Amino acid sequence: MSSECLFCRIVSGELPSTAVHETETTFAFRDLHPQAPTHILIVPRAHYTDAVDLAKKEPALLGDLTVAAGAVAEAEGLAESGYRLVFNTGADGGQTVFHVHMHLLGGAQLGHFGTP
């Protein structure tokens, strides 16, 4: 963990969050600035910069994040209607916190990417 990383500080309990799901390897909490009716961030407890860094170093943990996302979607009532899972990678990709995190978005009909 990094004492300078926002998400490491949230995972450690140093900063408050609204936790919705926890496992030994993952932590999920509500986004402070939701982009959909349901917007939850799922992070590994260990610090990795982005999804590619995580996949290279701990590919099984990438699976843990996805399984956790499925559990959160079920608990939030999104499993049947559908939801979106998103990783932003790098500054140009929209990543603002450099601790890998998966966005779970749902609760409404979401637009299609690439559609004008």
Side-chain angles (χ1 to χ4, degrees):
M1 289 212 175
S2 167
S3 63
E4 312 237 339
C5 172
L6 175 66
F7 290 168
C8 285
R9 294 174 69 200
I10 288 172
V11 168
S12 73
E14 182 181 336
L15 293 177
S17 68
T18 303
V20 296
H21 184 78
E22 296 184 52
T23 70
E24 185 177 311
T25 60
T26 66
F27 187 80
F29 57 98
R30 297 198 186 279
D31 194 293
L32 286 178
H33 305 288
Q35 302 299 305
T38 300
H39 187 168
I40 295 169
L41 302 177
I42 302 120
V43 304
R45 290 183 178 276
H47 183 90
Y48 296 90
T49 304
D50 57 40
V52 174
D53 181 39
L54 176 61
K56 286 180 181 178
K57 294 176 180 170
E58 292 289 338
L61 186 50
L62 189 57
D64 289 352
L65 287 180
T66 306
V67 169
V72 169
E74 184 73 35
E76 295 286 319
L78 302 174
E80 286 201 27
S81 62
Y83 52 94
R84 181 174 292 158
L85 299 176
V86 177
F87 285 107
N88 296 328
T89 302
D92 284 352
Q95 187 176 6
T96 57
V97 177
F98 292 89
H99 179 127
V100 63
H101 53 287
M102 175 187 286
H103 297 260
L104 183 151
L105 302 153
Q109 178 72 42
L110 301 174
H112 297 281
F113 286 115
T115 304

